């Protein structure tokens, strides 16, 4: 089915994109559905950039529009004031400065009551390990959009082993190029490249932790 919002986003038509977002909010679409349409739209922007139909300035434009979409959506995202008890360290891997997807996931996780320590972008493997030691977080989320940065994720997971933390920390990788192969290559526990799957994974980890606490 043709998705008007996805097309407006792919065409970089800011006015139309924001109008459809407003209309969909009024019509009762969930924030996740709206984000997903926009994500698919910017995926097309990326394809057009690869085909040389779009330029770097168009990638920047897609960033601006997506940020506006989030500004409109944020007040409509329900806030859970009780904390889940799950503590997560999150960042974009070394060499990569893409952070829109990571920030959306962090926003949604915090709204759902998770405690998230955001390390930002271009995070070295050593910095991830340091943050896990300092925060004692039991989940690590790594975002990656550039394929050539995937190798650094494997280094993070190798370092986790060296630090004796591999059994204590669940690793979730996310981002556009991530798939089952990337999960296997890096040694991560879970992967997600859309918002629904990402939130499902964190809920699953939460349930696992709650059941292991109640057993001990
Ligand atoms: C916007 C954009 C930019 C912006 C980034 C702005 C920002 N602050 O993030 C700017 C203009 C800065 C940029 C720069 C570059 N970009 Co760029 N960019 C994109 C674009 C069009 C959209 C990315 C995006 O924000 N998507 C929307 C969000 C919502 O989706 P998402 O990131 O996938 O996140 C979702 C899921 O993946 C998941 N998720 C994400 N992270 C995580 C983490 C966890 C733990 C979990 C569970 C889930 C999760 O949840 C999110 C919500 O649904 C993509 C195209 C694409 N297909 O993704 C190219 C793309 C990623 N860029 C690309 C390239 C080549 C570049 C540049 C090298 C261009 C250049 N010549 O300089 C630079 C690199 C800069 C750097 N060192 O990082 C390529 C990468 C190719 C590759 N295979 O490696 C892509 C794929 C475009 C293409 N097809 O060629 N880019």
């Amino acid at each position: 089915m043709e998705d008007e919002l996805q097309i407006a986003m792919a065409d970089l038509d800011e006015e139309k994109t924001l109008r459809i977002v407003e209309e969909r909010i009024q019509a009762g679409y969930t924030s996740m559905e709206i984000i997903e349409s926009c994500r698919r739209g910017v995926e097309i922007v990326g394809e057009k950039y690869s085909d040389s139909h779009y330029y770097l300035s168009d990638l920047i434009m897609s960033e601006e529009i997506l940020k506006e979409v989030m500004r409109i959506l944020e007040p409509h995202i329900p806030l859970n004031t009780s904390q889940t008890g799950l503590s997560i360290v999150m960042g974009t891997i070394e060499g990569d400065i893409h952070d829109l997807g990571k920030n959306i996931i962090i926003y949604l996780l915090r709204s759902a009551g998770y405690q998230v320590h955001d390390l930002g972008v271009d995070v070295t493997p050593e910095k991830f390990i340091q943050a896990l030691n300092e925060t004692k977080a039991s989940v690590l989320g790594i975002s990656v959009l550039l394929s050539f940065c995937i190798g650094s994720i494997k280094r993070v997971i190798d370092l986790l082993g060296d630090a004796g933390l591999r059994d204590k920390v669940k690793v979730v990788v996310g981002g556009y190029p991530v798939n089952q192969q990337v999960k296997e290559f890096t040694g991560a526990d879970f992967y997600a490249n859309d918002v629904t799957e990402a939130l499902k994974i964190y809920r699953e980890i939460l349930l696992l932790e709650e059941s292991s606490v109640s057993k001990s």
Side-chain angles (χ1 to χ4, degrees):
M1 203 184 66
E2 277 217 333
D3 180 345
E4 239 194 315
L5 178 54
Q6 178 183 331
I7 295 167
M9 187 78 222
D11 290 344
L12 298 172
D13 186 336
E14 179 167 12
E15 211 183 305
K16 193 167 176 189
T17 302
L18 302 184
R19 179 173 48 73
I20 301 172
V21 168
E22 298 276 12
E23 285 168 4
R24 291 203 174 174
I25 292 170
Q26 297 310 320
Y29 281 69
T30 66
S31 306
M32 295 209 281
E33 286 167 332
I34 295 173
I35 291 168
E36 205 30 41
S37 289
C38 293
R39 190 193 62 75
R40 288 198 303 267
V42 292
E43 206 170 298
I44 298 170
V45 172
E47 285 160 15
K48 290 189 178 180
Y49 172 75
S50 299
D51 296 347
S52 309
H53 287 100
Y54 274 173
Y55 301 100
L56 187 58
S57 55
D58 296 311
L59 293 188
I60 296 170
M61 184 65 194
S62 73
E63 171 185 6
E64 291 308 317
I65 301 177
L66 204 56
K67 281 185 176 162
E68 275 308 309
V69 169
M70 284 312 291
R71 256 192 287 277
I72 296 175
L73 279 181
E74 279 177 9
H76 300 276
I77 295 173
L79 199 67
N80 183 350
T81 46
S82 60
Q83 291 293 306
T84 62
L86 196 69
S87 174
I88 303 164
V89 163
M90 189 100 114
T92 300
I93 193 69
E94 181 174 37
D96 196 336
I97 61 158
H98 293 85
D99 64 357
L100 298 174
K102 168 185 74 67
N103 292 346
I104 289 172
I105 299 292
I106 291 178
Y107 190 88
L108 293 173
L109 287 173
R110 284 184 177 150
S111 306
Y114 295 87
Q115 191 188 2
V116 186
H117 309 273
D118 182 10
L119 306 185
V121 297
D122 192 15
V123 182
T124 61
E126 291 74 15
K127 205 166 161 205
F128 276 117
I129 307 300
Q130 190 190 342
L132 286 166
N133 274 320
E134 283 169 8
T135 61
K136 308 282 177 245
S138 58
V139 189
L140 171 61
I142 308 179
S143 187
V144 63
L145 272 283
L146 297 178
S147 315
F148 66 83
C149 294
I150 289 170
S152 294
I153 300 182
K154 186 168 163 37
R155 259 204 69 217
V156 177
I157 296 175
D158 289 346
L159 280 183
L160 266 182
D162 296 348
L165 290 172
R166 189 63 194 95
D167 298 343
K168 299 184 181 76
V169 177
K170 294 266 180 297
V171 183
V172 190
V173 287
Y176 170 69
V178 165
N179 53 26
Q180 178 66 22
Q181 250 178 316
V182 170
K183 173 183 171 280
E184 281 166 19
F185 168 73
T186 57
D189 300 300
F190 302 90
Y191 79 91
N193 38 33
D194 72 58
V195 67
T196 312
E197 187 59 26
L199 294 186
K200 205 173 112 199
I201 289 169
Y202 287 103
R203 263 195 304 272
E204 198 180 309
I205 297 175
L206 179 65
L207 290 177
L208 276 173
E209 292 218 348
E210 283 175 349
S211 77
S212 74
V213 168
S214 67
K215 273 183 207 147
S216 61

